[in-house]
Amino acid sequence: MEMDQLVSLCKRRGFLFQSSEIYGGLNGFWDYGPMGVELKRNIREAWWQDMVTGHNELVVPPGAPSAYQMVGIDATIIMHPQVWKCSGHYDLFHDMMQTCRQCKRLFRADQVFDMLKEAQWVQSLASTLEIGPEGRLLKADAEGLLRWAKSKGRKLAPGLALVRKAESMQPALLSRLADLTGQGMSLPELLRFLATEEAGAPGLQTPCPDCGGDLTEPREFNLMFETHTGAVRDESSRTFLRPETAQGIFVNFKNVTDSTRVRIPFGIAQIGKSFRNEITPRNFTFRSREFEQMEIEFFCHPSQSAAWYRYWRDRRYQWYVELGLSSERLRLRDHSPEELSHYSCGTADIEYAFPFLTPGEFGELEGVAHRGDFDLRSHMEGKLVRQGDHFVVETDETGRPKHRGSGKDLAYFDDETKERYVPHVIEPSAGADRAALAFLCEAYTEDLVPDEHGKPTPRLFLRLHPRLAPIKAAVFPLVKKDGMPEIAREIYSQLKPHLNVFYDEKGAIGRRYRRQDEIGTPFCITVDGQTLADGTVTIRDRDTLRQWRVKKEECLSEISGRIRTRS
Ligand code: GAP
């Protein structure tokens, strides 16, 4: 499946729209339409049900070190600014950014070369070159490059030095190309060379993926959106839209232990919006500026944290498999020590092979991190920094904490063992929008099904897990007469208080099936001639096209049972 096909289906059938589309859209923001909102609600609901309300705290789940409790909270999006200073987001939550000196666009430094690979001007330029099996240039002739610069280059890469300064670069180009191709120059090296205006100037420039212009050196850019609370807009009223939901849980740890009877080990879950001013939002909803997270902070005794980390890695991976992601496209990847965040003693990503990635590449769906006692200590003592194997409070030039903590005691007292300690935290942190995107990518299916004359015809359908499907069943009268619509309406009314069902009596039955297939409705209930005789209806399964009959009064138990038990 090409990503464009999914994007078009999502718009056509009301899953996703560009935000503020009638005004040209706002980059990095997406709206969920009538089908999309149901899909995302079902994802959130499945997560909350499976992780929180449906969790049985009396039994030890397979692979868990013991039984455990789960509760939820719903914290605010804007919190005290000190939260972000102590968590490290104020000082450290940035990406390296480069700006194009010609077109002024911004790029995330670590994405520039990937974007160049996909850029139209690079592909056009590469088609004039001979490239060997390992990406080395076999032949790059300066005349050909100059011809490209004066023709296609003008339109596709007006900012590229080779295009802007074709005449003055010519002698240098000729002599340096002869040397460099002999040494087996790669395409990225050639691009940098062609983006550098002054031959002989130290350092080669990196070209802009959009216009070919030269990019500035990478600079830090904090991803938090700022706002002000209250009428006065100054430093004292500056606040931030949360970039993650996790901190709302840490700052409420004491409130939860004081107000409930939870005992360690236990988890606090939260679902909510997060905001990051991503430099280059892209790949549909994958990297957005406003998105939704589903996070758990799981608090445990330090001696058991490694075992809980392993449990949560596997449990969360399994959750996606249970809801239909195939294990060939899903993987668990442990971070290398260099990749670990400043606080983490171990992190694994659950990744999915999204179709917009190059084959063999995977994108993050969820991170499961062992955060040690970093977060609770930061909110007690102040922002921490690593010193050897330990974390200590970071100090300013006067020796005082750089960002002061709350000073509140967030240690846990175990009244059975009489032990007092700061719990360790395991954090499974998922994105609801990325999950929705992965489920949609996985569900997109094309097959051939017989039409009313038995001729195989192409069909497009979404093989969504019934728990996630926006509409659980559609109810149809076969024809709009003989009392069939009345019976179908009655079935619809019986089901509606329990399930999101849809009534349709318009058009040929085959077309009504196809419309439901395209939005992933797992079951269609049809009232036909036999219903009038014996009170049974047919139920059609979206994936297998199998049809069977049940008594019309049993539709609810039949559909509900199949939603629950579908693996
Ligand atoms: N509290 C830890 C944390 O926030 P993260 O890896 O930055 O970790 C967790 O984010 C999850 O949130 C990601 O795995 C992803 O699913 C989702 N996410 C993060 N940034 C996102 C973005 N810009 N757009 C959509 N989803 C995003």
Side-chain angles (χ1 to χ4, degrees):
M1 186 254 307
E2 295 294 324
M3 210 49 211
D4 290 352
Q5 294 172 286
L6 181 70
V7 174
S8 135
L9 174 79
C10 283
K11 179 159 163 60
R12 189 159 41 84
R13 300 311 313 269
F15 281 90
L16 278 154
F17 310 124
Q18 209 186 359
S19 162
S20 333
E21 196 184 274
I22 59 167
Y23 288 104
L26 187 60
N27 197 11
F29 295 87
W30 295 92
D31 294 340
Y32 286 78
M35 290 303 120
V37 69
E38 296 300 334
L39 171 67
K40 203 161 125 185
R41 282 172 63 98
N42 291 340
I43 292 172
R44 284 197 300 252
E45 186 48 38
W47 186 89
W48 195 262
Q49 166 70 19
D50 296 347
M51 298 299 123
V52 187
T53 43
H55 168 69
N56 183 343
E57 61 187 48
L58 303 180
V59 300
V60 182
S66 68
Y68 62 90
Q69 290 172 288
M70 288 295 299
V71 293
I73 63 157
D74 186 12
T76 57
I77 286 170
I78 296 175
M79 297 194 272
H80 195 291
Q82 201 65 13
V83 170
W84 308 111
K85 293 187 173 160
C86 291
S87 69
H89 287 81
Y90 184 80
D91 291 342
L92 301 169
F93 193 55
H94 51 240
D95 277 338
M96 300 307 279
M97 172 192 85
Q98 291 179 277
T99 315
C100 174
R101 291 196 182 90
Q102 306 300 324
C103 71
K104 313 293 177 212
R105 286 200 59 185
L106 305 182
F107 299 91
R108 229 173 88 170
D110 62 345
Q111 291 175 350
V112 166
F113 272 99
D114 279 346
M115 294 176 85
L116 279 170
K117 271 195 267 167
E118 290 163 20
Q120 209 193 345
W121 71 265
V122 175
Q123 288 174 4
S124 161
L125 183 90
S127 67
T128 69
L129 308 167
E130 265 184 57
I131 300 177
E134 281 158 20
R136 299 272 145 196
L137 295 185
L138 300 177
K139 191 164 160 246
D141 97 85
E143 302 296 342
L145 286 170
L146 286 163
R147 261 198 314 280
W148 178 87
K150 286 178 187 163
S151 54
K152 290 190 179 151
R154 281 209 178 126
K155 186 161 163 262
L156 299 175
L160 188 69
L162 176 74
V163 173
R164 286 184 290 115
K165 304 275 170 177
E167 298 309 329
S168 58
M169 279 179 79
Q170 188 164 12
L173 187 68
L174 285 169
S175 65
R176 285 198 66 195
L177 263 186
D179 293 352
L180 291 167
T181 41
Q183 294 162 19
M185 184 200 255
S186 67
L187 181 62
E189 282 166 311
L190 175 73
L191 296 179
R192 286 163 60 86
F193 174 49
L194 300 180
T196 306
E197 199 171 309
E198 278 187 49
L204 292 176
Q205 304 292 329
T206 303
C208 163
D210 261 26
C211 77
D214 44 328
L215 298 184
T216 59
E217 285 305 301
R219 282 172 290 141
E220 284 178 3
F221 171 78
N222 195 299
L223 300 182
M224 283 199 294
F225 278 102
E226 289 181 18
T227 187
H228 288 84
T229 41
V232 182
R233 294 178 76 83
D234 64 11
E235 184 53 34
S236 69
S237 66
R238 187 154 68 120
T239 45
F240 304 93
L241 303 193
R242 67 180 174 203
E244 60 169 26
T245 54
Q247 299 304 322
I249 300 180
F250 295 125
V251 300
N252 276 298
F253 172 75
K254 199 167 155 43
N255 284 336
V256 172
T257 50
D258 288 352
S259 62
T260 65
R261 291 170 60 203
V262 286
R263 303 199 56 229
I264 276 181
F266 71 91
I268 306 180
Q270 174 167 221
I271 298 180
K273 291 269 186 165
S274 293
F275 302 82
R276 296 182 189 178
N277 197 2
E278 299 282 357
I279 299 163
T280 39
R282 60 196 196 125
N283 291 330
F284 206 14
T285 57
F286 182 82
R287 193 172 301 288
S288 311
R289 288 178 166 144
E290 173 175 338
F291 55 96
E292 207 153 356
Q293 290 186 308
M294 307 186 291
E295 296 198 289
I296 296 171
E297 304 304 328
F298 189 80
F299 301 93
C300 58
H301 191 280
S303 65
Q304 291 220 302
S305 58
W308 281 113
Y309 168 62
R310 284 192 295 277
Y311 166 74
W312 278 109
R313 260 179 35 146
D314 299 346
R315 175 70 195 99
R316 292 298 309 145
Y317 174 86
Q318 203 47 41
W319 187 78
Y320 292 100
V321 176
E322 283 160 17
L323 286 172
L325 293 194
S326 79
S327 37
E328 296 101 71
R329 281 187 281 269
L330 193 66
R331 73 173 186 192
L332 246 183
R333 186 183 63 82
D334 285 305
H335 280 207
S336 62
E338 305 80 64
E339 264 182 289
L340 291 180
S341 316
H342 59 292
Y343 50 73
S344 186
C345 331
T347 297
D349 282 345
I350 301 170
E351 300 179 328
Y352 183 72
F354 287 98
F356 50 76
L357 299 169
T358 331
E361 284 183 5
F362 287 75
E364 179 186 330
L365 259 187
E366 169 161 352
V368 182
H370 183 312
R371 296 173 72 122
D373 58 8
F374 179 86
D375 304 277
L376 289 180
R377 274 190 59 206
S378 304
H379 289 301
M380 282 197 282
E381 302 167 25
K383 185 187 164 223
L384 302 175
V385 280
R386 191 183 277 281
Q387 203 171 76
D389 285 344
H390 300 283
F391 282 102
V392 294
V393 175
E394 186 176 359
T395 47
D396 62 16
E397 15 348 298
T398 66
R400 283 198 290 263
K402 183 170 178 206
H403 297 302
R404 269 190 309 114
S406 66
K408 299 282 183 298
D409 182 7
L410 303 181
Y412 176 80
F413 178 68
D414 186 326
D415 47 16
E416 270 176 19
T417 62
K418 308 292 175 216
E419 189 186 358
R420 181 174 208 87
Y421 59 90
V422 180
H424 274 197
V425 170
I426 312 300
E427 178 194 70
S429 170
D433 307 85
R434 282 199 193 166
L437 186 58
F439 287 124
L440 282 169
C441 292
E442 183 79 22
Y444 189 100
T445 314
E446 285 170 323
D447 67 357
L448 290 176
V449 297
D451 66 8
E452 56 272 31
H453 311 294
K455 187 173 150 238
T457 36
R459 168 177 81 137
L460 165 58
F461 71 108
L462 290 183
R463 200 194 282 268
L464 287 169
H465 190 288
R467 284 181 78 192
L468 303 184
I471 292 173
K472 307 301 179 197
V475 188
F476 307 145
L478 182 62
V479 287
K480 247 192 324 184
K481 56 183 185 186
D482 301 335
M484 290 185 207
E486 288 73 13
I487 302 176
R489 282 164 191 266
E490 198 184 307
I491 296 172
Y492 167 84
S493 303
Q494 279 163 7
L495 296 178
K496 193 67 178 164
H498 310 280
L499 296 171
N500 193 16
V501 291
F502 184 77
Y503 177 79
D504 190 4
E505 56 179 31
K506 292 198 192 79
I509 189 82
R511 290 200 42 215
R512 281 182 266 166
Y513 283 146
R514 299 297 159 78
R515 282 204 290 263
Q516 294 304 317
D517 288 345
E518 269 200 354
I519 54 170
T521 306
F523 306 105
C524 290
I525 301 167
T526 306
V527 172
D528 54 17
Q530 200 177 323
T531 315
L532 309 176
D534 66 6
T536 63
V537 293
T538 63
I539 299 194
R540 168 194 182 262
D541 182 286
R542 174 198 66 202
D543 302 347
T544 61
L545 302 182
R546 192 172 78 81
Q547 299 202 10
W548 66 99
R549 298 198 78 89
V550 298
K551 290 205 188 97
K552 64 180 169 40
E553 299 74 24
E554 288 171 6
C555 287
L556 179 60
S557 59
E558 178 74 14
I559 303 286
S560 309
R562 285 178 185 271
I563 293 172
R564 265 197 313 275
T565 55
R566 175 74 67 98
S567 58

